[in-house]
Amino acid sequence: MSGPPAGDTLRRWEREQARLKAGVIEEDTEEWQKDSSFAGLERVGGVDLSYVKGDDTNACASLVVLSYPDLEVLYEDCQMVAVTAPYIAGFLAFREVPFLVEAIQRLQQKEPKLKPQVLLVDGNGLLHHRGFGVACHLGVLTDLPCIGVAKNLLQVDGLARDELHREQIRSLQMEGDACPLTGTSGKVLGMVLRSYNNSSKPLYISVGHRVCLETAVHLVKSCCRYRIPEPIRQADIRSREYIRKQPSSPLEVISSGPKRQEKETEPDH
């Protein structure tokens, strides 16, 4: 893979983010979102990219669609892809989203009746350096409601993994407990959620597209059998397994790029 992109590439990516950000809708747009039990929601999608350990160019892009509320897998699409864009903090979408858009398009062609009504994305949405993370990017390009679900706090707008934040996490005593993530700008960028009683590690939920933050948190919690919501968890499991089945594939697989390896030791899969 080539080295970091030139400054003109980063400026072009920033312009593209700003252009697409204008299309983000930060509120509920679907009928099923208006009901506290999500009546009418039948299909929830999850996406993931897994990489062969030590190889940041060959990856498996995975899309799964689960039934709701039973969370049984209805559809899966795993495909090996050649990743060419390098990982640059704040620009993950340019590395991974094109392959996820293609997976959605394949689903639309093969099984249009199984198109997800909402996508859970392993990454951030509005909780981002420029307010336009991978969940926003994928949502705007596919016009699907999207929710960002991250396992680590992105330190933007004054948010930090400091003692104040650790105290905030300790205050989350039971699964379903959540606290707002308010930046120094005064804007609520997301919520920190305890998704599972058996794990004190929280999730960081943020709006991607066509969903409000309250709905996003409520839906993510309802999709958790373990710490990680089932759509993302199943996409991750299946992409890892797909790589392991490839000829001459090493057994070790990670589910993130070279700078996003926190999932490598994820205990809740």
Side-chain angles (χ1 to χ4, degrees), residues 170-212:
R170 285 193 290 269
S171 74
L172 307 177
Q173 295 293 311
M174 299 175 59
E175 63 182 38
D177 287 354
C179 291
L181 294 164
T182 305
T184 53
S185 64
K187 182 177 176 62
V188 176
L189 302 174
M191 296 280 281
V192 55
L193 166 71
R194 181 164 185 162
S195 59
Y196 185 51
N197 270 338
N198 290 357
S199 177
S200 60
K201 295 180 179 179
L203 296 176
Y204 298 91
I205 314 301
S206 56
V207 168
H209 185 51
R210 291 176 58 181
V211 63
C212 76

Side-chain angles (χ1 to χ4, degrees), residues 90-156:
F91 297 98
L92 177 67
F94 293 95
R95 178 173 168 84
E96 298 189 350
V97 160
F99 305 113
L100 303 178
V101 171
E102 288 173 2
I104 296 290
Q105 291 171 341
R106 285 194 297 272
L107 167 60
Q108 185 67 41
Q109 293 165 0
K110 293 191 290 186
E111 297 281 358
K113 292 182 179 179
L114 294 181
K115 184 178 179 181
Q117 294 162 276
V118 59
L119 275 176
L120 272 54
V121 181
D122 178 19
N124 293 294
L126 297 178
L127 178 56
H128 179 264
H129 307 81
R130 287 166 297 284
F132 193 75
V134 63
C136 296
H137 205 126
L138 185 60
V140 171
L141 290 182
T142 62
D143 200 32
L144 287 171
C146 279
I147 298 170
V149 183
K151 293 191 296 300
N152 286 323
L153 176 66
L154 186 63
Q155 301 186 65
V156 296

